[in-house]
Amino acid sequence: MPATSARSAETRRRRLVAAAFLLPALVLLGALVVHPIGYSLYRSFFDRSGDTFVGGANYGEILHDDTIRTALKNTALWVVLAPTTATALGLIFAVLTERVRWGTAFKLLVFMPMAISMLAAGIIFRLVYDHDPDRGVANAVWVGVHDTFAQSSAFPKARPGRDSPLVPATGADAGGFTTRDPVRAGVPVLLPLVGVAPEDLPGGTRTAAAAPAEPGKVTGTVWQDFTRGGGGRTNAVDPTESGLAGIRVEAVRDGRVVDSATARADGTFTLSAKADGAVLRLPASNFREAYAGVEWLGPALVTPAVIGAYVWMWAGFAMVLIGAGLAAVPRELLEAARVDGANEWQVFRRVTVPLLAPLLVVVLVTLVINVMKIFDLVFVIAPGSVQDDANVLALQLYRTSFGTDADPGLGSAIAVLLLVLVLPVMLYNIRRLRKEGAR
């Protein structure tokens, strides 16, 4: 009996010691987690002022408010796209870096964004997605690729001056310019334009020259009819004015192009006798606006653009975890599959992925919980004009709960909804951890 009492006393003492060590953590957990959750649930049943009980009215407004419904839709899109993309890239990087000598350096580069805060990453990608190709890296690359295959005009703002022999084209030729009257062989044609900034003139441009008359041919000059510093004659080639090199000139008769030429560095051009009696046209392709790229932060693409920034940050996290799991995969199984005739794709799909499946679930679930709370990337990257289009629940919670038009009751209801959406994923994760611990 005394021995039993001693053991009981020892057990109680150990429990008290354990409780004493746990007490600070439990107090903090209650103050920082349990109490805010309880108060948010309580506050969600009251109106904006907190004085009037409204029951489930705030939850009803969640279902009927278009802005909050957009946030729900975007949050669902985040949950589907961001974790799966980051996990898939992490898996691919982890597998491929095992086969290259510089794999460690590559892993370091991919994981490096994890060292950057969400705020800093948001600022970086706000600049990356800038619509101006001179500042935004994404559009600089996109415009560069586009212009490789479809070069933009150097004269997007060129137009005829006053009393010009050119008039705007109509119909299918709209956007270009035509001569008022047909041209004749042996009589030089003047095609003056204005509106081209000197710094925008193509490289190799020279001073404009008056085209000489050539028997049986139509010659002329296309030039910038503007003298810097003032002076100069209208519709006449002056000594200091520049030719518009590379501009296309077409001779049109009965709606059909019978001949064409490209202006030389001094703006002069020559057409064959086919152009005699035709109308000259400067087609709209000469004045096409420069391609400005994609509006990454416009209403249509802002959510995928922000998801891209998130994947850039978290693919390294997935790669490191999956790489650690891949290092523990028995090499004998992979070699056995190869000996049995499996190619590398079959080994990856039938052996590597199934062996890594538990770890892939861990990474996927972790990222799902993370994206449910995404806020700072969306807040920083999405411009104010499209924040409603990029809205997610965490951002809507902030916008509703704070500011001059704050509604703490509705904000608390959104917080409770967010908790309800996260809970199943957290419970699944806890259940999975318990199963693994029981093995």
Side-chain angles (χ1 to χ4, degrees), residues 265-397:
D266 59 0
T268 59
F269 62 89
T270 303
L271 295 166
S272 68
K274 297 178 183 178
D276 186 27
V279 170
L280 296 191
R281 179 176 70 190
L282 303 180
S285 58
N286 289 312
F287 314 105
R288 183 175 55 241
E289 287 286 344
Y291 181 65
V294 177
E295 194 174 358
W296 300 104
L297 299 182
L301 292 178
V302 62
T303 295
V306 181
I307 290 176
Y310 177 89
V311 170
W312 175 77
M313 288 192 68
W314 288 86
F317 166 81
M319 178 196 65
V320 169
L321 291 186
I322 295 170
L326 194 60
V329 171
R331 301 301 168 192
E332 304 82 32
L333 296 177
L334 304 180
E335 293 302 326
R338 294 187 181 99
V339 169
D340 288 341
N343 57 37
E344 292 302 319
W345 168 246
Q346 290 171 327
V347 171
F348 173 75
R349 187 164 59 92
R350 299 291 182 86
V351 181
T352 304
V353 172
L355 289 174
L356 291 175
L359 181 59
L360 295 177
V361 171
V362 171
V363 175
L364 195 61
V365 170
T366 302
L367 293 180
V368 166
I369 295 173
N370 186 269
V371 301
M372 292 286 284
K373 304 176 294 180
I374 196 70
F375 160 76
D376 25 20
L377 270 184
V378 182
F379 183 73
V380 175
I381 295 178
S385 59
V386 295
Q387 275 202 356
D388 284 346
D389 299 286
N391 204 9
V392 290
L393 279 177
L395 177 58
Q396 184 60 32
L397 169 61

Side-chain angles (χ1 to χ4, degrees), residues 189-191 204-211 219-224 237 241-247 249 262-270 282:
V189 183
L190 297 178
L191 303 178
T205 295
R206 298 207 308 249
T207 302
T219 59
T221 305
V222 189
W223 84 102
Q224 168 85 325
V237 180
E241 295 174 346
S242 300
L244 298 181
I247 201 165
V249 182
T262 300
R264 305 179 186 93
D266 59 0
T268 59
F269 62 89
T270 303
L282 303 180

Side-chain angles (χ1 to χ4, degrees), residues 36-47 53-65 68-69 72 407-421:
I37 291 174
Y39 182 75
S40 296
L41 180 61
Y42 167 79
R43 186 67 179 81
S44 67
F45 294 111
F46 288 82
D47 67 352
F53 180 79
V54 295
N58 287 323
Y59 295 96
E61 188 171 348
I62 288 176
L63 300 177
H64 295 95
D65 187 281
I68 300 177
R69 286 164 62 184
L72 276 168
D407 187 344
L410 181 58
S412 297
I414 297 173
V416 172
L417 173 63
L418 192 56
L419 176 64
V420 169
L421 293 176

Side-chain angles (χ1 to χ4, degrees), residues 112-124 312-313 376-377:
M112 196 175 293
M114 284 295 299
I116 303 174
S117 69
M118 286 280 198
L119 176 63
I123 294 172
I124 290 170
W312 175 77
M313 288 192 68
D376 25 20
L377 270 184

Side-chain angles (χ1 to χ4, degrees), residues 126-136 139 292-296:
R126 182 69 178 267
L127 295 174
V128 167
Y129 290 135
D130 195 293
H131 193 230
D132 185 353
D134 292 331
R135 292 190 297 175
N139 263 347
V294 177
E295 194 174 358
W296 300 104

